[in-house]
Amino acid sequence: MVFVGLGSNLGDSAAILQAAFVSLDELPDTRLLKASRLYRTPAWGLTSQPDFLNAVAMLDTTLTPQALLAALLRIERDAGRLRRDDGSDRWGPRTLDLDLLLYADQVIEEPGLRVPHPHLHDRAFALLPLVEIAPQVRIPGIGAACDSLARMATDDIQALPYTPPPPTHAAR
């Protein structure tokens, strides 16, 4: 099981995230198993920007973590995400942000790829949708995601009315 965090705060964020769920399901050797609801969350890091919509996708994939990350970056670019080479826009507004949160129970530390996501256990905007679709999931080196979530405030996060996830491919 692989979990990907989705976020957007520019443009029609709900439509962008729904399209991203479809794009994830269309990746080679990958199937979207579950998609969380969308959550409206205050900006984190650089707070003087519009609220985000966030969600989490559960995937089944045979792509390597590196190949999956490359695919996530392509999906971001296709959605209009521009990244500055110097990283100065790291906390700024974006059309689409896709983060590889968990890749099974692997721990990966290499340039450009850290799994589990190094701040996952500190971010309610990622934990809330993660725990919604995988209540028993564990963060390697940290413990149960639900325990991390229980230690933080979530009253500033609003679940949006439920939108069913897009259908997965019936045949591959």
Side-chain angles (χ1 to χ4, degrees):
M1 290 307 125
V2 173
F3 295 92
V4 174
L6 299 83
S8 173
N9 73 339
L10 291 178
D12 184 348
S13 293
I16 290 167
L17 294 185
Q18 290 296 332
F21 283 131
V22 172
S23 294
L24 291 169
D25 192 41
E26 291 174 344
L27 291 174
D29 304 313
T30 302
R31 215 167 35 110
L32 176 67
L33 299 177
K34 289 185 183 178
S36 75
R37 290 180 288 178
L38 304 184
Y39 291 83
R40 181 174 313 284
T41 63
W44 194 89
L46 177 64
T47 58
S48 60
Q49 60 181 315
D51 286 350
F52 276 82
L53 291 188
N54 291 102
V56 169
M58 177 194 292
L59 307 175
D60 179 27
T61 188
T62 59
L63 295 175
T64 66
Q66 297 78 5
L68 180 57
L69 179 61
L72 298 180
L73 294 174
R74 276 193 307 278
I75 293 170
E76 285 183 354
R77 281 191 303 276
D78 291 348
R81 170 86 187 264
L82 302 174
R83 290 176 181 261
R84 292 188 182 139
D85 290 337
D86 66 0
S88 62
D89 58 345
R90 180 177 206 173
W91 305 111
R94 61 212 61 181
T95 53
L96 181 62
D97 186 37
L98 297 175
D99 289 328
L100 182 52
L101 302 176
L102 297 167
Y103 191 99
D105 59 357
Q106 290 190 31
V107 175
I108 304 166
E109 292 274 344
E110 57 186 60
L113 180 59
R114 293 178 63 199
V115 177
H117 189 284
H119 303 291
L120 174 58
H121 64 285
D122 293 323
R123 294 180 173 174
F125 66 82
L127 287 170
L128 197 57
L130 174 64
V131 169
E132 173 196 329
I133 62 173
Q136 304 304 317
V137 74
R138 298 187 65 77
I139 303 169
I142 301 293
C146 61
D147 290 345
S148 292
L149 180 61
R151 290 190 291 272
M152 55 186 68
T154 59
D155 49 336
D156 58 351
I157 298 175
Q158 174 191 10
L160 299 183
Y162 183 73
T163 302
T168 59
H169 289 39
R172 294 248 180 209

